[in-house]
Amino acid sequence: PCTDATYKGIVNVTVDIHNAGTMNGEEIAMLFVEPPAKPGGITGDRPVRELKSFKKVAVDMGTTVNAILPLRIDDLRRWEGGADGHWVVDDGVYTIKVGPNEGDLPLSGTITIHG
């Protein structure tokens, strides 16, 4: 689902992690963020995807646990300008992806940031 947030907000992303195996184990949930389209007039490039939160949880065999991944909107900021620049959080729709590693992100959603 799409969530709206302001610059100073925190969004808690909750994911279920299930252990279908026959042994107790641990899993790491990683939350990556993809920024909106690059606004006109910015001076630099932005990463395509950035790791912004992660959580390691113990999961007993045959059970499901929740992992809560906090995403501070302030962590989405980027530096704009040179030595006399400033921090900016771009308005727009950010894509949130969650999974066990950067190459396997089966869960996704969006968040809209506005001032």
Side-chain angles (χ1 to χ4, degrees):
C2 185
T3 301
D4 290 342
T6 58
Y7 296 140
K8 295 299 177 185
I10 296 175
V11 175
N12 286 317
V13 177
T14 303
V15 296
D16 292 334
I17 300 175
H18 180 71
N19 181 350
T22 58
M23 298 178 66
N24 296 339
E26 295 178 329
E27 182 65 84
I28 297 175
M30 297 180 168
L31 182 148
F32 289 84
V33 176
E34 297 175 357
K38 183 177 176 178
I42 73 167
T43 58
D45 290 325
R46 295 183 302 178
V48 173
R49 181 181 300 142
E50 291 182 285
L51 176 65
K52 293 298 181 181
S53 187
F54 62 93
K55 178 80 176 197
K56 182 177 182 179
V57 293
V59 189
D60 291 340
M61 62 180 169
T63 66
T64 300
V65 299
N66 295 113
I68 299 173
L69 304 164
L71 173 61
R72 294 180 336 151
I73 303 309
D74 201 39
D75 286 344
L76 301 177
R77 64 189 179 162
R78 63 176 177 78
W79 186 256
E80 176 61 28
D84 60 343
H86 58 282
W87 289 104
V88 176
V89 176
D90 294 321
D91 286 344
V93 177
Y94 290 73
T95 301
I96 309 297
K97 295 191 174 186
V98 179
N101 61 65
E102 196 272 335
D104 182 12
L105 301 169
L107 305 174
S108 67
T110 60
I111 184 170
T112 301
I113 307 298
H114 49 81

